[in-house]
Amino acid sequence: MKEEKIFNKNYILLMIINTLLFTSFNMINPVLPKYVTGLGMSVTLAGVLSGCFSITALIFRPLSGIAADKMNQKRLYLAAGAIITAACCGYAVFSSFSGLFFVRVVHGIFFAVDTTVSLVLVTRYIPKGKMGQGIGFFGIGPIIAIAFAPGMGLKIGTTYGYINSFFIAAVMSAAATLVILFVANQEQRETPDAESEKIQESKALPQAAGRRFSLKQFIATEVIVFAFLAGLFSFANSIEYTFIALYSETKGIDDISIYFTVSAAFILLSRLFAGRIYDKKGLAVILYPAYLVGAVSMFILGNAGCMAMFLAAAALKALGQGAGQPSLQSQCMTSVSQDRVGVASSTYYLGPDIMQGIGPIVGGAVIDRAGYAAAYDLCGILMLAGIVFYAGYMRYKKGKAAVQA
């Protein structure tokens, strides 16, 4: 049953869990490249370690969607939280590339499960007609994490050692896992259609084998376009955050933590109005300006020479991404039936996972060959490409609807 108000008990608990887990995640992200380069590895290898997280999540994301639809979601959430905690400790234990790679892969697998299940769970407690606002407010947790977690992780790392940053990140994940215990334990309810389909498949298992393992069971093909569009934001975001500390040092800026704070503040600002606009006006009204300001921000960042330009880029990028990504997420979750929200959730994350995985690898290679400006300019070009792609998609949809009419 849907709740009548957005901020109900379970919704708030899920926000707390999400905040703690993303705090842990964002503490590790900026610390890992500095830790790895401090061990004598190249920037390219640092990018590989950062990127393999999302690539791993990508591989296991479709399975996590099926699991979220078929298994007890609370137990799945608990298991993922516990293993993420162990992975955070693993960063402090290993110092070789192979060891860190293994830990990063494990972290990626269960972060994929965690984020997929959290989105499925929270939609159960958002009132009908308020999905845009509900998902937008749910994203406030990661915003809070972005505001202080990267700076906190770097500060702890430079003052007390990077290993301590990893252990504190593990404490955050452990706290999130404990809070999961207080979320209502609801068994997955299947629609009559879903139940009858399973009965039919069990009666004719050999004949249905091909159908049981069809693409649509793993991926909600109807939302792939929105997943790709969300991935464009993540590509830019991954390069922006992975290399911002190293980039700022080349400009003579030693403490870049305020960049994350400004970014978080403007993402929060965008959440105050974007969800309501999406619920009333639809996706297009949000997406076009979101990509435009995102592109401008990346061009500013690539040519930044002082802190003021860094902060202007942070504000514009945050406004664009903060409005665009949750609107695309809401579009995915409202484009499928209730028994497929797990698959829709995992499909949505495929776009960000792919692009966030590719981003640091491509960014590291571009930086090694052409410098930081070229990497951020590339992000700006891709933002502009998003406008063209979405406009073409909308034209195609209208043409298809006209033909069918």
Side-chain angles (χ1 to χ4, degrees):
M1 295 290 293
K2 295 286 187 184
E3 299 281 353
E4 294 183 357
K5 58 183 180 178
I6 293 177
F7 291 98
N8 53 77
K9 174 189 171 184
N10 289 293
Y11 182 90
I12 292 170
L13 287 174
L14 289 166
M15 284 188 72
I16 292 170
I17 296 163
N18 208 36
T19 302
L20 289 170
L21 285 166
F22 272 88
T23 297
S24 171
F25 174 74
N26 282 284
M27 281 184 66
I28 290 172
N29 264 10
V31 166
L32 188 61
K34 299 199 79 172
Y35 177 62
V36 168
T37 54
L39 294 173
M41 301 181 205
S42 67
V43 174
T44 300
L45 285 180
V48 169
L49 281 175
S50 295
C52 74
F53 178 95
S54 294
I55 292 173
T56 301
L58 159 68
I59 295 171
F60 285 86
R61 183 75 71 185
L63 295 176
S64 71
I66 293 175
D69 282 335
K70 303 301 182 185
M71 296 175 63
N72 181 289
Q73 293 161 2
K74 181 177 177 178
R75 293 174 186 171
L76 195 59
Y77 208 17
L78 277 167
I83 296 174
I84 287 172
T85 301
C88 291
C89 293
Y91 290 111
V93 173
F94 295 100
S95 58
S96 65
F97 177 80
S98 59
L100 289 169
F101 186 84
F102 170 77
V103 170
R104 197 69 172 156
V105 166
V106 171
H107 195 177
I109 292 171
F110 288 95
F111 197 77
V113 174
D114 175 272
T115 49
T116 298
V117 175
S118 68
L119 183 58
V120 174
L121 278 173
V122 81
T123 59
R124 299 168 75 102
Y125 303 107
I126 296 175
K128 184 178 180 180
K130 296 185 179 180
M131 189 64 69
Q133 295 176 72
I135 289 180
F137 290 138
F138 185 64
I140 288 175
I143 296 169
I144 294 172
I146 290 171
F148 70 88
M152 182 172 72
L154 289 168
K155 189 69 173 179
I156 293 170
T158 55
T159 306
Y160 302 104
Y162 293 118
I163 287 177
N164 287 308
S165 294
F166 299 138
F167 280 131
I168 292 176
V171 171
M172 296 290 179
S173 296
T177 305
L178 290 175
V179 177
I180 294 171
L181 294 171
F182 297 95
V183 176
N185 188 9
Q186 291 183 311
E187 294 290 344
Q188 180 70 14
R189 294 176 183 175
E190 299 182 72
T191 63
D193 287 344
E195 285 186 9
S196 62
E197 182 177 334
K198 286 178 68 177
I199 293 171
Q200 292 296 327
E201 288 180 353
S202 64
K203 288 180 177 179
L205 186 59
Q207 294 85 349
R211 180 162 162 260
R212 288 196 306 116
F213 293 99
S214 66
L215 179 65
K216 285 197 171 185
Q217 281 198 303
F218 293 89
I219 296 174
T221 54
E222 57 268 50
V223 304
I224 286 178
V225 167
F226 307 121
F228 169 74
L229 290 166
L232 294 178
F233 286 111
S234 292
F235 181 89
N237 195 58
S238 66
I239 294 179
E240 177 191 9
Y241 281 175
T242 299
F243 301 108
I244 195 69
L246 297 173
Y247 177 42
S248 63
E249 288 178 356
T250 69
K251 300 293 184 175
I253 300 171
D254 295 326
D255 186 4
I256 196 62
S257 58
I258 191 174
Y259 183 95
F260 300 105
T261 304
V262 169
S263 179
F266 277 85
I267 292 178
L268 178 58
L269 177 63
S270 72
R271 298 298 170 95
L272 297 178
F273 63 84
R276 189 179 298 273
I277 293 174
Y278 168 81
D279 287 334
K280 291 183 176 181
K281 302 291 186 180
L283 183 61
V285 174
I286 291 288
L287 208 55
Y288 286 127
Y291 279 127
L292 183 59
V293 297
V296 171
S297 74
M298 290 294 97
F299 293 134
I300 292 174
L301 187 59
N303 294 278
C306 61
M307 179 63 85
M309 293 183 72
F310 272 88
L311 298 185
L316 289 173
K317 175 63 165 47
L319 283 174
Q321 181 172 347
Q325 275 197 322
S327 298
L328 287 162
Q329 199 171 35
S330 300
Q331 189 73 25
C332 288
M333 301 304 287
T334 55
S335 297
V336 298
S337 59
Q338 183 62 37
D339 61 306
R340 281 174 57 78
V341 291
V343 174
S345 174
S346 64
T347 302
Y348 164 80
Y349 282 114
L350 285 177
D353 285 345
I354 292 171
M355 301 302 271
Q356 193 160 314
I358 294 172
I361 298 172
V362 172
V366 171
I367 290 166
D368 280 343
R369 289 165 176 77
Y372 291 98
Y376 292 120
D377 286 345
L378 172 62
C379 294
I381 292 169
L382 287 177
M383 292 281 100
L384 294 177
I387 295 175
V388 176
F389 181 87
Y390 183 64
Y393 171 73
M394 292 301 292
R395 179 182 287 260
Y396 165 76
K397 289 282 287 183
K398 288 180 180 178
K400 186 176 180 180
V403 170
Q404 290 176 345

